[in-house]
Amino acid sequence: MRVTEYGNHAHIWLAAAGDGLSDTFAVCGAEGRAIWYGPFLDADVDHPHGDRAAAAMSAAGRAIWLAGRAREDAGAGKATLHLSVSDDELDAVTLACTASMAGLALDLVVTDDNPALDWCHAFGRLDWTPGRLGELVDPTEPHGAPALRSITGGLDPQTDPQERLVMQDNALDPWTELRSALEGLLLHDAVGMDAKMRHAVAAVVHLTVDTPHGPPEDAEEFLGRFDASWLVASWLGHDTELSLIATLAAGEIPALSWCELMFTTTLAPWSTSPVAAHARRVFATVQRGKLGAVRAQVS
């Protein structure tokens, strides 16, 4: 759907999506590269509060604002924003007016192949960087739009996005299958789990699997790593991980303790869940880290 269009001037390609279930959003550039994503903050005036349509509009509005900043930073008088979205019920008139106030003509494209959808389910957050906004602006007349591809490639579109998210360098990561299997234990049917706990599960799996010591050798060692003191000692010198540990170990009901309980029961030898059986088997195929297992430290 083409709302309006200027003549020969700068062009910007973005994709945007919002998830009302998890209250998250994402804005991507050409080729599906994430520029800005994460959960809405409680203080955000555009917080969707669980509303699907509001989440999509908020994400599109953020993409327009970002494009307006990019146009200003690039010194372009006018620009056309080619914005890919997945919701065909967006208020196109409101978005076009918002874009016009930012010095943009809006070319709104509704497509199922939207890379921003997957980034709505990615762990953590990424804030936009002012120094890189100029890279979004193409000062010439386009000869066909860049391919905005989903980062999941040709995987089954019916698969849960939380389970099918595949980063570009996963092929070089020998522990991807282990992390995926462990996350799947708690997330594969967690329809009612909020975004905070989904992110906590992903963070805990990262902290216990990706330590500089190497991955756990089996389920017993994996569960033994659910100790804040051991995790802190393992991640000394890694500020991001240390911050995660502090967050997960805090609060009236620490997420770290909750994950320990959930993983202990789901990985128990008596569990016959197919997902649990796969997670137990995958430990045996994991490539060992250079420092090997740390069973003695977690027993």
Side-chain angles (χ1 to χ4, degrees), residues 22 25 27 40 95 107 110 144 197 227 259 284:
S22 58
F25 73 95
V27 179
F40 289 96
L95 293 177
D107 175 21
V110 179
M197 291 312 300
D227 177 81
C259 287

Side-chain angles (χ1 to χ4, degrees), residues 186-205:
L186 303 190
L187 299 181
H188 73 287
D189 60 355
V191 177
M193 187 181 294
D194 61 21
K196 178 179 177 180
M197 291 312 300
R198 285 179 177 269
H199 290 178
V201 170
V204 165
V205 169

Side-chain angles (χ1 to χ4, degrees), residues 127-288:
D127 292 326
W128 61 277
T129 303
R132 302 185 62 181
L133 291 183
E135 300 175 5
L136 302 177
V137 180
D138 182 355
T140 62
E141 187 71 21
H143 299 286
L148 283 168
R149 295 191 297 269
S150 169
I151 57 176
T152 57
L155 297 185
D156 182 0
Q158 300 302 317
T159 305
D160 188 333
Q162 181 69 30
E163 297 180 8
R164 62 188 173 90
L165 180 63
V166 179
M167 307 306 287
Q168 292 181 354
D169 58 352
N170 275 354
L172 304 177
D173 186 347
W175 305 340
T176 297
E177 186 179 2
L178 175 59
R179 283 197 302 270
S180 178
L182 291 173
E183 288 183 24
L185 284 171
L186 303 190
L187 299 181
H188 73 287
D189 60 355
V191 177
M193 187 181 294
D194 61 21
K196 178 179 177 180
M197 291 312 300
R198 285 179 177 269
H199 290 178
V201 170
V204 165
V205 169
H206 162 63
L207 291 170
T208 52
V209 171
D210 298 324
T211 70
H213 301 289
E217 183 176 297
D218 52 28
E220 180 183 357
E221 184 183 342
F222 169 67
L223 296 174
R225 294 184 174 192
F226 281 78
D227 177 81
S229 298
W230 184 87
L231 289 172
V232 167
S234 299
W235 288 103
L236 284 177
H238 297 77
D239 292 343
T240 299
E241 281 72 18
L242 291 176
S243 178
L244 281 176
I245 295 168
T247 300
L248 293 168
E252 184 176 350
I253 304 177
L256 184 63
S257 298
W258 180 86
C259 287
E260 180 182 13
L261 172 63
M262 297 299 290
F263 276 115
T264 298
T265 54
T266 53
L267 274 173
W270 59 81
S271 176
T272 58
S273 165
V275 182
H278 174 68
R280 289 194 296 263
R281 287 195 304 268
V282 81
F283 277 111
T285 64
V286 172
Q287 300 179 29
R288 305 306 306 152

Side-chain angles (χ1 to χ4, degrees), residues 18-24 48 50-52 55 121 190-195 198:
D19 188 327
L21 182 62
S22 58
D23 283 336
T24 54
D51 187 293
R52 177 192 62 81
H121 298 273
V191 177
M193 187 181 294
D194 61 21
R198 285 179 177 269

